[in-house]
Amino acid sequence: MNHALTRAAIAAALTFAASGAQAADKIKVGFMLPYSGTFAALGTAIENGFKLYVAEQGGKLGGREIEYFKVDDESNPAKAAENANRLIKRDQVDVLIGTVHSGVAMALAKAAKDSDTTLIVTNAGANAITGPLCGPGIFRTSFTNWQPAYAMGPVAFNKGHKTAVTITWKYAAGDEAIGGFKEGFEKAGGKVVKELSLPFPNVEFQSLLTEIAATKPDMVFTFFAGGGAVKFVQDYHAAGLDKTIPLYGSGFLTDGTLQAQGASAQGLLTTLHYADGLNTPRDNAFRADYAKNYNMPPDVYAVQGYDAAQLMQSGLTAVKGDFSKKADFRTAMRGATVDSPRGPFTLSPAGNPVQDIYLRRVDGLENKVVDVAVKKLADPARGCKL
Ligand code: BEZ
């Protein structure tokens, strides 16, 4: 018997079996998102958006079926490392999708890097993720906290406001949004005269509103999101402050919240990388499909989830579904142009979207686009060494 031939035949059979198994295996996607607490609706919108894109592709990305795992991170940084490791070590997911809260996301990014698991951040704006924590496997389809807030600085100054008070939750997202606004506003010629904050996720705003009234700035800039944003806008209106001191914010203040905010939000101006009324064929098709599937209009969080699935599709298509080609998968994602409902965007070398930031005004139940505040705004990615 010819042993060399037999060995070759066995090797060929094993290779064939392995590639068959690889094609049959599903890609494991782990959602680490908040499904409870003040950001619960944001987590659900991200998951909805991701699954919508996958459904539009016939249930597959790069020809591979997807298996989902999920963990409710409760927007709790203290549980973040343990929650991340449930997905990484217990479920052995191929790709992590998450999360909303910046403090949780920083622990998630660290766990992803330590285990060399690919991570797509679908909301949390922590500057560090595409700054000092950047890496070849770290991607974001959302924003940095700096981006939308910085864009509001010159917009507000050009409306004639010279002094501003800021108010936010005391954690990474709030601090960085205020930092971004202050940089843009003071570069334009304005002055932030007071910075107010309260711990996340508290909503006892009354004493801080009294302090704003006593300070009498030309304007207020704020970062709040989810349930906290609903309450802040309602309280600001109920205190009558909106009649004398105009309120501005990063667009999370009024995204996904308008039904609950009602009259109190009307006319508010915010800056964000998505808006209602863009009226492009891409956005119209997305909005129609989202509304058909979920019986509600999409918001920015749904767009960020949808685009994470699009980004994965670019990577998996480039490697023809062969996830063992991890480096090629990542290189293709980093070089992708994402055909987003917000408008096409590319990723910076650090992995963060380079994108237009819209100025929007609340009109009824919509954040209607008014203008592009800054075109193709790239985060400075301070501290990222690749
Ligand atoms: C954050 O923690 O980064 C965040 C949370 C909600 C909306 C936007 C940013």
Short mmCIF file of all heavy atoms in Angstrom, two decimals, residues 196-256:
data_model
loop_
_atom_site.label_atom_id
_atom_site.label_comp_id
_atom_site.label_asym_id
_atom_site.label_seq_id
_atom_site.Cartn_x
_atom_site.Cartn_y
_atom_site.Cartn_z
N LEU A 196 -21.89 72.61 36.30
CA LEU A 196 -22.69 71.93 37.33
C LEU A 196 -22.82 70.45 36.98
O LEU A 196 -22.87 70.07 35.80
CB LEU A 196 -24.09 72.55 37.40
CG LEU A 196 -24.14 74.05 37.70
CD1 LEU A 196 -25.57 74.57 37.55
CD2 LEU A 196 -23.63 74.33 39.10
N SER A 197 -22.90 69.62 38.03
CA SER A 197 -23.09 68.18 37.76
C SER A 197 -23.75 67.50 38.95
O SER A 197 -23.81 68.06 40.05
CB SER A 197 -21.74 67.51 37.47
OG SER A 197 -20.91 67.61 38.60
N LEU A 198 -24.25 66.29 38.68
CA LEU A 198 -24.80 65.44 39.74
C LEU A 198 -24.43 64.00 39.38
O LEU A 198 -24.12 63.71 38.22
CB LEU A 198 -26.30 65.63 39.90
CG LEU A 198 -27.29 65.11 38.86
CD1 LEU A 198 -28.71 65.24 39.38
CD2 LEU A 198 -27.16 65.82 37.55
N PRO A 199 -24.42 63.10 40.37
CA PRO A 199 -23.97 61.73 40.08
C PRO A 199 -24.92 61.02 39.11
O PRO A 199 -26.13 61.25 39.14
CB PRO A 199 -24.01 61.03 41.44
CG PRO A 199 -24.09 62.12 42.46
CD PRO A 199 -24.75 63.28 41.81
N PHE A 200 -24.37 60.11 38.26
CA PHE A 200 -25.18 59.26 37.38
C PHE A 200 -25.85 58.19 38.20
O PHE A 200 -25.17 57.60 39.06
CB PHE A 200 -24.28 58.63 36.31
CG PHE A 200 -25.00 57.64 35.43
CD1 PHE A 200 -25.64 58.06 34.29
CD2 PHE A 200 -25.04 56.28 35.77
CE1 PHE A 200 -26.32 57.15 33.48
CE2 PHE A 200 -25.73 55.37 34.97
CZ PHE A 200 -26.36 55.81 33.82
N PRO A 201 -27.11 57.86 38.03
CA PRO A 201 -28.10 58.40 37.10
C PRO A 201 -29.13 59.28 37.82
O PRO A 201 -30.30 59.23 37.47
CB PRO A 201 -28.75 57.12 36.55
CG PRO A 201 -28.77 56.19 37.76
CD PRO A 201 -27.60 56.58 38.64
N ASN A 202 -28.70 60.07 38.79
CA ASN A 202 -29.64 60.88 39.59
C ASN A 202 -30.42 61.87 38.73
O ASN A 202 -29.91 62.37 37.74
CB ASN A 202 -28.89 61.67 40.66
CG ASN A 202 -28.38 60.77 41.78
OD1 ASN A 202 -28.45 59.55 41.66
ND2 ASN A 202 -27.84 61.35 42.83
N VAL A 203 -31.64 62.18 39.17
CA VAL A 203 -32.48 63.12 38.41
C VAL A 203 -33.09 64.18 39.34
O VAL A 203 -34.14 64.73 39.03
CB VAL A 203 -33.58 62.37 37.61
CG1 VAL A 203 -32.98 61.58 36.47
CG2 VAL A 203 -34.42 61.47 38.52
N GLU A 204 -32.43 64.43 40.47
CA GLU A 204 -32.90 65.48 41.38
C GLU A 204 -32.26 66.80 40.96
O GLU A 204 -31.21 67.19 41.45
CB GLU A 204 -32.53 65.14 42.83
CG GLU A 204 -33.08 63.82 43.33
CD GLU A 204 -34.58 63.66 43.07
OE1 GLU A 204 -35.31 64.66 43.21
OE2 GLU A 204 -35.00 62.57 42.69
N PHE A 205 -32.91 67.48 39.99
CA PHE A 205 -32.27 68.64 39.35
C PHE A 205 -32.57 69.97 40.03
O PHE A 205 -31.99 70.99 39.67
CB PHE A 205 -32.74 68.73 37.89
CG PHE A 205 -32.41 67.51 37.05
CD1 PHE A 205 -33.41 66.73 36.47
CD2 PHE A 205 -31.08 67.14 36.84
CE1 PHE A 205 -33.10 65.63 35.69
CE2 PHE A 205 -30.76 66.04 36.07
CZ PHE A 205 -31.78 65.27 35.49
N GLN A 206 -33.52 69.98 40.99
CA GLN A 206 -34.10 71.25 41.44
C GLN A 206 -33.07 72.28 41.93
O GLN A 206 -33.08 73.43 41.49
CB GLN A 206 -35.16 70.98 42.53
CG GLN A 206 -36.42 71.80 42.33
CD GLN A 206 -36.93 71.82 40.88
OE1 GLN A 206 -37.18 70.78 40.29
NE2 GLN A 206 -37.08 73.02 40.30
N SER A 207 -32.15 71.86 42.81
CA SER A 207 -31.20 72.84 43.37
C SER A 207 -30.27 73.37 42.28
O SER A 207 -29.86 74.54 42.30
CB SER A 207 -30.41 72.22 44.51
OG SER A 207 -29.64 71.17 44.00
N LEU A 208 -29.95 72.54 41.31
CA LEU A 208 -29.07 72.98 40.22
C LEU A 208 -29.80 73.97 39.30
O LEU A 208 -29.21 74.93 38.79
CB LEU A 208 -28.55 71.77 39.44
CG LEU A 208 -27.69 70.81 40.28
CD1 LEU A 208 -27.37 69.53 39.51
CD2 LEU A 208 -26.41 71.47 40.74
N LEU A 209 -31.10 73.75 39.11
CA LEU A 209 -31.88 74.69 38.28
C LEU A 209 -31.96 76.05 38.97
O LEU A 209 -31.89 77.10 38.32
CB LEU A 209 -33.28 74.13 38.02
CG LEU A 209 -33.32 72.86 37.14
CD1 LEU A 209 -34.75 72.33 36.98
CD2 LEU A 209 -32.71 73.10 35.77
N THR A 210 -32.08 76.03 40.30
CA THR A 210 -32.09 77.28 41.06
C THR A 210 -30.77 78.03 40.88
O THR A 210 -30.73 79.25 40.69
CB THR A 210 -32.33 76.97 42.56
OG1 THR A 210 -33.50 76.19 42.66
CG2 THR A 210 -32.47 78.23 43.39
N GLU A 211 -29.67 77.25 40.86
CA GLU A 211 -28.35 77.88 40.68
C GLU A 211 -28.20 78.47 39.28
O GLU A 211 -27.61 79.55 39.11
CB GLU A 211 -27.27 76.81 40.93
CG GLU A 211 -25.98 77.42 41.40
CD GLU A 211 -24.95 76.38 41.85
OE1 GLU A 211 -25.34 75.28 42.30
OE2 GLU A 211 -23.75 76.70 41.74
N ILE A 212 -28.76 77.80 38.29
CA ILE A 212 -28.71 78.35 36.91
C ILE A 212 -29.46 79.67 36.86
O ILE A 212 -28.98 80.67 36.31
CB ILE A 212 -29.31 77.33 35.90
CG1 ILE A 212 -28.38 76.12 35.76
CG2 ILE A 212 -29.55 77.99 34.55
CD1 ILE A 212 -28.96 74.96 34.96
N ALA A 213 -30.65 79.68 37.47
CA ALA A 213 -31.48 80.91 37.45
C ALA A 213 -30.72 82.06 38.11
O ALA A 213 -30.75 83.20 37.62
CB ALA A 213 -32.80 80.64 38.17
N ALA A 214 -30.00 81.76 39.20
CA ALA A 214 -29.28 82.82 39.92
C ALA A 214 -28.06 83.30 39.12
O ALA A 214 -27.69 84.47 39.19
CB ALA A 214 -28.84 82.28 41.28
N THR A 215 -27.45 82.41 38.36
CA THR A 215 -26.23 82.77 37.60
C THR A 215 -26.56 83.60 36.35
O THR A 215 -25.72 84.39 35.90
CB THR A 215 -25.46 81.48 37.20
OG1 THR A 215 -25.27 80.69 38.38
CG2 THR A 215 -24.11 81.79 36.61
N LYS A 216 -27.75 83.40 35.78
CA LYS A 216 -28.21 84.15 34.60
C LYS A 216 -27.20 84.15 33.43
O LYS A 216 -26.80 85.21 32.93
CB LYS A 216 -28.50 85.62 34.98
CG LYS A 216 -29.62 85.83 35.97
CD LYS A 216 -30.00 87.32 35.99
CE LYS A 216 -31.13 87.65 36.90
NZ LYS A 216 -30.94 87.37 38.32
N PRO A 217 -26.80 82.96 32.96
CA PRO A 217 -25.93 82.93 31.78
C PRO A 217 -26.74 83.23 30.51
O PRO A 217 -27.98 83.23 30.56
CB PRO A 217 -25.44 81.48 31.77
CG PRO A 217 -26.59 80.72 32.36
CD PRO A 217 -27.21 81.61 33.39
N ASP A 218 -26.05 83.44 29.39
CA ASP A 218 -26.77 83.63 28.11
C ASP A 218 -27.45 82.33 27.66
O ASP A 218 -28.43 82.37 26.91
CB ASP A 218 -25.78 84.05 27.01
CG ASP A 218 -25.21 85.44 27.26
OD1 ASP A 218 -25.74 86.16 28.12
OD2 ASP A 218 -24.21 85.79 26.58
N MET A 219 -26.87 81.20 28.06
CA MET A 219 -27.38 79.90 27.59
C MET A 219 -26.95 78.79 28.55
O MET A 219 -26.06 78.99 29.38
CB MET A 219 -26.82 79.57 26.20
CG MET A 219 -25.29 79.45 26.21
SD MET A 219 -24.60 78.70 24.72
CE MET A 219 -25.05 76.97 24.92
N VAL A 220 -27.57 77.61 28.38
CA VAL A 220 -27.14 76.41 29.11
C VAL A 220 -26.81 75.33 28.09
O VAL A 220 -27.55 75.16 27.10
CB VAL A 220 -28.25 75.92 30.07
CG1 VAL A 220 -27.96 74.51 30.58
CG2 VAL A 220 -28.38 76.87 31.25
N PHE A 221 -25.69 74.62 28.29
CA PHE A 221 -25.39 73.45 27.47
C PHE A 221 -25.42 72.23 28.37
O PHE A 221 -24.92 72.25 29.50
CB PHE A 221 -24.00 73.55 26.83
CG PHE A 221 -23.66 72.30 26.05
CD1 PHE A 221 -24.10 72.14 24.75
CD2 PHE A 221 -22.93 71.27 26.64
CE1 PHE A 221 -23.82 70.97 24.03
CE2 PHE A 221 -22.66 70.10 25.94
CZ PHE A 221 -23.10 69.96 24.63
N THR A 222 -26.00 71.13 27.85
CA THR A 222 -26.16 69.95 28.69
C THR A 222 -25.90 68.64 27.96
O THR A 222 -26.08 68.56 26.73
CB THR A 222 -27.57 69.92 29.30
OG1 THR A 222 -27.64 68.88 30.25
CG2 THR A 222 -28.63 69.70 28.24
N PHE A 223 -25.46 67.63 28.73
CA PHE A 223 -25.47 66.24 28.25
C PHE A 223 -26.31 65.43 29.22
O PHE A 223 -25.95 65.29 30.40
CB PHE A 223 -24.06 65.63 28.18
CG PHE A 223 -24.11 64.14 28.02
CD1 PHE A 223 -24.19 63.56 26.77
CD2 PHE A 223 -24.13 63.29 29.13
CE1 PHE A 223 -24.29 62.18 26.61
CE2 PHE A 223 -24.24 61.90 28.99
CZ PHE A 223 -24.31 61.36 27.72
N PHE A 224 -27.46 64.95 28.75
CA PHE A 224 -28.23 63.90 29.42
C PHE A 224 -28.79 63.01 28.32
O PHE A 224 -28.90 63.43 27.16
CB PHE A 224 -29.38 64.47 30.27
CG PHE A 224 -28.92 65.18 31.52
CD1 PHE A 224 -29.04 66.57 31.63
CD2 PHE A 224 -28.36 64.49 32.58
CE1 PHE A 224 -28.61 67.23 32.77
CE2 PHE A 224 -27.91 65.16 33.73
CZ PHE A 224 -28.04 66.52 33.82
N ALA A 225 -29.16 61.78 28.68
CA ALA A 225 -29.69 60.85 27.68
C ALA A 225 -30.72 59.94 28.35
O ALA A 225 -30.77 59.85 29.58
CB ALA A 225 -28.56 60.01 27.09
N GLY A 226 -31.54 59.28 27.52
CA GLY A 226 -32.50 58.30 28.02
C GLY A 226 -33.49 58.91 29.01
O GLY A 226 -33.93 60.05 28.86
N GLY A 227 -33.80 58.15 30.07
CA GLY A 227 -34.79 58.58 31.06
C GLY A 227 -34.40 59.88 31.74
O GLY A 227 -35.24 60.73 32.04
N GLY A 228 -33.10 60.08 31.98
CA GLY A 228 -32.62 61.30 32.62
C GLY A 228 -32.85 62.53 31.75
O GLY A 228 -33.17 63.61 32.25
N ALA A 229 -32.70 62.38 30.44
CA ALA A 229 -32.93 63.49 29.51
C ALA A 229 -34.40 63.89 29.51
O ALA A 229 -34.73 65.08 29.45
CB ALA A 229 -32.49 63.08 28.10
N VAL A 230 -35.27 62.90 29.58
CA VAL A 230 -36.72 63.19 29.62
C VAL A 230 -37.02 64.07 30.82
O VAL A 230 -37.63 65.14 30.72
CB VAL A 230 -37.55 61.88 29.70
CG1 VAL A 230 -39.02 62.18 29.97
CG2 VAL A 230 -37.39 61.06 28.43
N LYS A 231 -36.53 63.67 31.97
CA LYS A 231 -36.83 64.38 33.22
C LYS A 231 -36.18 65.77 33.22
O LYS A 231 -36.79 66.75 33.66
CB LYS A 231 -36.32 63.52 34.40
CG LYS A 231 -36.40 64.15 35.76
CD LYS A 231 -37.75 63.93 36.39
CE LYS A 231 -37.87 64.23 37.87
NZ LYS A 231 -37.07 65.25 38.46
N PHE A 232 -34.95 65.88 32.72
CA PHE A 232 -34.27 67.18 32.75
C PHE A 232 -35.02 68.20 31.90
O PHE A 232 -35.26 69.34 32.33
CB PHE A 232 -32.81 67.07 32.29
CG PHE A 232 -32.10 68.40 32.38
CD1 PHE A 232 -31.69 68.89 33.62
CD2 PHE A 232 -31.90 69.19 31.26
CE1 PHE A 232 -31.08 70.14 33.73
CE2 PHE A 232 -31.29 70.44 31.36
CZ PHE A 232 -30.88 70.92 32.60
N VAL A 233 -35.40 67.81 30.69
CA VAL A 233 -36.09 68.75 29.79
C VAL A 233 -37.45 69.14 30.39
O VAL A 233 -37.84 70.32 30.35
CB VAL A 233 -36.23 68.12 28.38
CG1 VAL A 233 -37.19 68.91 27.50
CG2 VAL A 233 -34.86 68.03 27.72
N GLN A 234 -38.13 68.18 30.97
CA GLN A 234 -39.43 68.49 31.62
C GLN A 234 -39.24 69.47 32.78
O GLN A 234 -39.99 70.44 32.93
CB GLN A 234 -40.09 67.21 32.13
CG GLN A 234 -40.66 66.35 31.03
CD GLN A 234 -41.13 65.00 31.52
OE1 GLN A 234 -40.71 64.51 32.58
NE2 GLN A 234 -42.01 64.36 30.76
N ASP A 235 -38.21 69.23 33.60
CA ASP A 235 -37.98 70.08 34.78
C ASP A 235 -37.54 71.49 34.38
O ASP A 235 -37.92 72.48 35.00
CB ASP A 235 -36.93 69.45 35.71
CG ASP A 235 -37.48 68.24 36.46
OD1 ASP A 235 -38.63 67.85 36.20
OD2 ASP A 235 -36.75 67.69 37.31
N TYR A 236 -36.71 71.58 33.35
CA TYR A 236 -36.22 72.89 32.87
C TYR A 236 -37.41 73.73 32.39
O TYR A 236 -37.49 74.93 32.69
CB TYR A 236 -35.22 72.66 31.72
CG TYR A 236 -34.31 73.83 31.44
CD1 TYR A 236 -33.12 74.00 32.13
CD2 TYR A 236 -34.63 74.77 30.45
CE1 TYR A 236 -32.26 75.07 31.87
CE2 TYR A 236 -33.79 75.85 30.19
CZ TYR A 236 -32.61 75.99 30.90
OH TYR A 236 -31.77 77.05 30.64
N HIS A 237 -38.31 73.08 31.70
CA HIS A 237 -39.51 73.75 31.17
C HIS A 237 -40.44 74.13 32.32
O HIS A 237 -40.94 75.26 32.39
CB HIS A 237 -40.20 72.80 30.19
CG HIS A 237 -41.47 73.32 29.62
ND1 HIS A 237 -41.51 74.36 28.71
CD2 HIS A 237 -42.76 72.93 29.81
CE1 HIS A 237 -42.76 74.60 28.37
NE2 HIS A 237 -43.54 73.75 29.03
N ALA A 238 -40.65 73.19 33.25
CA ALA A 238 -41.58 73.45 34.37
C ALA A 238 -41.07 74.60 35.24
O ALA A 238 -41.88 75.37 35.79
CB ALA A 238 -41.73 72.18 35.22
N ALA A 239 -39.75 74.76 35.32
CA ALA A 239 -39.18 75.86 36.12
C ALA A 239 -39.27 77.19 35.37
O ALA A 239 -38.90 78.24 35.92
CB ALA A 239 -37.72 75.55 36.46
N GLY A 240 -39.69 77.14 34.11
CA GLY A 240 -39.84 78.36 33.30
C GLY A 240 -38.52 78.91 32.78
O GLY A 240 -38.46 79.99 32.20
N LEU A 241 -37.44 78.13 32.96
CA LEU A 241 -36.12 78.63 32.55
C LEU A 241 -35.99 78.79 31.04
O LEU A 241 -35.26 79.65 30.55
CB LEU A 241 -35.03 77.67 33.06
CG LEU A 241 -34.65 77.83 34.53
CD1 LEU A 241 -33.66 76.75 34.95
CD2 LEU A 241 -34.04 79.20 34.77
N ASP A 242 -36.72 77.93 30.30
CA ASP A 242 -36.58 77.99 28.83
C ASP A 242 -37.09 79.32 28.24
O ASP A 242 -36.77 79.66 27.11
CB ASP A 242 -37.27 76.79 28.16
CG ASP A 242 -38.70 76.60 28.62
OD1 ASP A 242 -39.10 77.26 29.61
OD2 ASP A 242 -39.42 75.80 28.00
N LYS A 243 -37.84 80.08 29.04
CA LYS A 243 -38.35 81.37 28.54
C LYS A 243 -37.24 82.43 28.53
O LYS A 243 -37.27 83.38 27.76
CB LYS A 243 -39.49 81.87 29.43
CG LYS A 243 -40.72 80.97 29.36
CD LYS A 243 -41.97 81.74 29.79
CE LYS A 243 -43.18 80.83 29.78
NZ LYS A 243 -43.11 79.82 30.86
N THR A 244 -36.23 82.27 29.43
CA THR A 244 -35.20 83.31 29.54
C THR A 244 -33.79 82.82 29.20
O THR A 244 -32.96 83.61 28.75
CB THR A 244 -35.17 83.87 30.98
OG1 THR A 244 -35.11 82.76 31.89
CG2 THR A 244 -36.40 84.71 31.28
N ILE A 245 -33.51 81.53 29.42
CA ILE A 245 -32.14 81.02 29.19
C ILE A 245 -32.22 79.82 28.24
O ILE A 245 -32.59 78.72 28.67
CB ILE A 245 -31.46 80.61 30.53
CG1 ILE A 245 -31.57 81.74 31.56
CG2 ILE A 245 -30.01 80.23 30.29
CD1 ILE A 245 -31.07 81.37 32.95
N PRO A 246 -31.90 80.01 26.96
CA PRO A 246 -32.05 78.90 26.01
C PRO A 246 -31.18 77.70 26.37
O PRO A 246 -30.05 77.87 26.81
CB PRO A 246 -31.65 79.50 24.66
CG PRO A 246 -31.23 80.89 24.90
CD PRO A 246 -31.44 81.25 26.34
N LEU A 247 -31.76 76.51 26.15
CA LEU A 247 -31.10 75.25 26.48
C LEU A 247 -30.61 74.58 25.19
O LEU A 247 -31.37 74.47 24.23
CB LEU A 247 -32.12 74.34 27.18
CG LEU A 247 -31.67 72.93 27.54
CD1 LEU A 247 -30.56 72.97 28.60
CD2 LEU A 247 -32.87 72.11 28.06
N TYR A 248 -29.35 74.15 25.18
CA TYR A 248 -28.77 73.42 24.05
C TYR A 248 -28.16 72.13 24.58
O TYR A 248 -27.87 72.02 25.77
CB TYR A 248 -27.65 74.23 23.38
CG TYR A 248 -28.10 75.55 22.79
CD1 TYR A 248 -28.21 76.70 23.57
CD2 TYR A 248 -28.39 75.65 21.43
CE1 TYR A 248 -28.60 77.90 23.02
CE2 TYR A 248 -28.79 76.87 20.87
CZ TYR A 248 -28.88 77.98 21.66
OH TYR A 248 -29.28 79.18 21.12
N GLY A 249 -27.91 71.18 23.67
CA GLY A 249 -27.28 69.95 24.15
C GLY A 249 -26.73 69.10 23.03
O GLY A 249 -27.02 69.33 21.85
N SER A 250 -25.92 68.09 23.40
CA SER A 250 -25.65 67.00 22.46
C SER A 250 -27.01 66.37 22.20
O SER A 250 -27.86 66.31 23.09
CB SER A 250 -24.75 65.94 23.11
OG SER A 250 -23.50 66.47 23.46
N GLY A 251 -27.20 65.86 20.97
CA GLY A 251 -28.54 65.45 20.55
C GLY A 251 -29.20 64.33 21.34
O GLY A 251 -30.40 64.08 21.18
N PHE A 252 -28.45 63.66 22.22
CA PHE A 252 -29.04 62.60 23.04
C PHE A 252 -30.13 63.15 23.94
O PHE A 252 -30.99 62.43 24.43
CB PHE A 252 -27.95 61.92 23.88
CG PHE A 252 -26.75 61.59 23.06
CD1 PHE A 252 -25.59 62.34 23.17
CD2 PHE A 252 -26.81 60.58 22.12
CE1 PHE A 252 -24.50 62.08 22.36
CE2 PHE A 252 -25.72 60.31 21.31
CZ PHE A 252 -24.56 61.07 21.43
N LEU A 253 -30.09 64.47 24.16
CA LEU A 253 -31.07 65.14 25.01
C LEU A 253 -32.49 64.94 24.49
O LEU A 253 -33.45 64.92 25.27
CB LEU A 253 -30.74 66.64 25.05
CG LEU A 253 -31.52 67.51 26.02
CD1 LEU A 253 -31.19 67.11 27.45
CD2 LEU A 253 -31.22 68.99 25.80
N THR A 254 -32.62 64.80 23.17
CA THR A 254 -33.96 64.74 22.57
C THR A 254 -34.12 63.55 21.62
O THR A 254 -35.09 63.51 20.86
CB THR A 254 -34.27 66.06 21.80
OG1 THR A 254 -33.21 66.29 20.87
CG2 THR A 254 -34.36 67.24 22.74
N ASP A 255 -33.19 62.59 21.63
CA ASP A 255 -33.31 61.46 20.69
C ASP A 255 -33.93 60.26 21.40
O ASP A 255 -33.46 59.84 22.44
CB ASP A 255 -31.94 61.08 20.12
CG ASP A 255 -31.98 60.97 18.61
OD1 ASP A 255 -31.95 62.03 17.97
OD2 ASP A 255 -32.11 59.85 18.09
N GLY A 256 -35.01 59.75 20.80
CA GLY A 256 -35.72 58.62 21.40
C GLY A 256 -36.53 59.02 22.62
O GLY A 256 -37.00 58.16 23.37
#
